[in-house]
Amino acid sequence: MRRSSSPRAPLRAAAVCTTLALTAGSALAQSYEVLKYELSTPDAEPSEELRALLPAEIRDRGTLLVGGRWDAPPYAFFPEGTKDWTGFEADLVRGIATVLGLDIVLEPITNEQTVLGVNANRYDIGVGFFANLEARQETVTNITYLRNIFGIIVPAENPHGVEEVSDACGLKTIQTGGNFDYAGALNAICEEKGLPLAERVQVAEGVNGLLALKSGQIDVYFQSYGQQKYFQEVVDEPIHAIVAPEIGWVGMGLIAKNDRTDVQDAVLGAVKHLHEIGYYDELIEKWEFQPLYEANPQINGGQDSRWWATPKAAQ
């Protein structure tokens, strides 16, 4: 793998975030201050076989149009004061572009805008660490490259002695729902074990879970494993984090329009090629994502959880 400050596929970003502070002046204001990771691209030549799977318009254009999040460390983000799109997913997309012999044109937007843009053919693929949810399959296809597991974060002193998921039963956690109902998953475990249910607390709009934890509004906070590790490295006040395998895992990936099977096949083929040449494994090591390893990248990869609906996986 080649690491450099100027990747093979140059990025032309439409917008740049210079700092991602949780809240000005707070003790956690620098929680999103990023570490200076070098950008990565594979030392590989384009695959003519995979490139031939692309529609002619993309091959002729010579660019991969990418829309997606820029504010989700450590998956995809801009380090403070730079225009360097970095993170596990950013490195992976650079690898995909290299294998397909394309440059990247990146437009940093929200996840909702990404789904709309992919379906309007404004973007070839969307990035944003998208969960493969059954409801989402109605609008986009997930090119699954990672398994996301979850964890619990508590204050550094761990006053309630939380060392496994069931230890959080009876404590206060942030109200959750929608894609990942962490609180619901916790209470299902508590009920199964005959333990008191966790109290679901509704915090003020815009209050981050870490801030709610620090202020004492909640006792435990659920977070994805990758972000959990990231916060452990960059937060300016120590936290105690544990992995919660009981919650299960969900496939995460890039998205493409449902009827653009040519794009899906080319991108999935590129991800599998990156596995074969060892680049994927090197990214896993670089970002310390070993528990998230997906040995079988696939279209609409599945889930392993009792706590939300299992999507229909297409091999």
Side-chain angles (χ1 to χ4, degrees):
M1 178 173 64
R2 182 174 65 252
R3 295 194 177 105
S4 69
S5 58
S6 55
R8 180 187 183 280
L11 304 174
R12 298 192 286 279
V16 173
C17 173
T18 57
T19 183
L20 300 171
L22 289 177
T23 182
S26 78
L28 291 177
Q30 299 304 314
S31 290
Y32 281 103
E33 180 182 339
V34 295
L35 306 179
K36 306 303 182 185
Y37 294 108
E38 294 180 329
L39 309 185
S40 296
T41 54
D43 187 9
E45 295 298 321
S47 166
E48 293 304 321
E49 179 182 358
L50 293 174
R51 183 177 169 83
L53 297 176
L54 290 167
E57 62 177 286
I58 296 180
R59 296 197 305 269
D60 294 344
R61 186 203 308 144
T63 57
L64 186 67
L65 305 182
V66 180
R69 290 183 64 180
W70 43 264
D71 61 347
Y75 308 113
F77 58 99
F78 289 117
E80 183 178 356
T82 81
K83 298 180 181 180
D84 294 330
W85 188 48
T86 191
F88 182 94
E89 192 166 57
D91 283 342
L92 184 70
V93 171
R94 266 190 291 273
I96 291 169
T98 297
V99 171
L100 297 178
L102 301 171
D103 287 343
I104 299 171
V105 175
L106 169 69
E107 184 172 357
I109 50 178
T110 66
N111 275 10
E112 181 179 356
Q113 291 170 325
T114 301
V115 172
L116 294 174
V118 164
N119 277 302
N121 295 320
R122 180 170 182 173
Y123 312 115
D124 302 317
I125 61 170
V127 301
F129 202 52
F130 280 95
N132 179 39
L133 304 173
E134 188 169 9
R136 186 172 282 151
Q137 290 180 22
E138 297 175 5
T139 55
V140 290
T141 295
N142 191 284
I143 305 165
T144 308
Y145 65 80
L146 207 64
R147 295 186 176 195
N148 190 24
I149 62 173
F150 308 97
I152 294 178
I153 297 174
V154 297
E157 61 274 16
N158 195 12
H160 298 287
V162 177
E163 296 298 342
E164 59 183 47
V165 172
S166 60
D167 292 336
C169 295
L171 302 182
K172 293 184 293 184
T173 189
I174 200 167
Q175 173 69 36
T176 54
N179 291 346
F180 302 118
D181 187 6
Y182 307 114
L186 169 60
N187 278 339
I189 293 171
C190 298
E191 186 174 20
E192 186 178 77
K193 293 180 175 292
L195 298 171
L197 300 185
E199 178 184 351
R200 300 166 74 128
V201 177
Q202 185 70 49
V203 299
E205 184 177 355
V207 173
N208 180 280
L210 286 176
L211 292 177
L213 186 72
K214 178 182 179 296
S215 65
Q217 296 178 65
I218 59 175
D219 302 313
V220 296
Y221 174 54
F222 285 88
Q223 186 61 273
S224 72
Y225 176 84
Q227 288 179 308
Q228 183 188 71
K229 281 194 63 64
Y230 178 80
F231 285 137
Q232 281 184 286
E233 293 187 24
V234 303
V235 72
D236 59 359
E237 292 194 4
I239 56 176
H240 179 73
I242 63 168
V243 176
E246 300 94 325
I247 300 297
W249 59 267
V250 59
M252 309 295 288
L254 310 167
I255 60 170
K257 192 176 180 181
N258 283 342
D259 63 4
R260 298 191 76 179
T261 56
D262 44 10
V263 173
Q264 297 168 28
D265 291 344
V267 172
L268 177 61
V271 174
K272 290 184 175 182
H273 184 71
L274 295 174
H275 261 268
E276 293 169 1
I277 65 175
Y279 179 73
Y280 179 92
D281 293 70
E282 292 186 41
L283 293 186
I284 289 287
E285 181 179 355
K286 172 184 175 180
W287 294 98
E288 300 182 53
F289 276 10
Q290 287 86 349
L292 310 185
Y293 193 93
E294 174 55 74
N296 181 32
Q298 58 190 284
I299 298 298
N300 291 335
Q303 298 177 348
D304 178 19
S305 176
R306 292 178 290 171
W307 319 124
W308 45 77
T310 302
K312 302 179 181 69
Q315 301 298 325

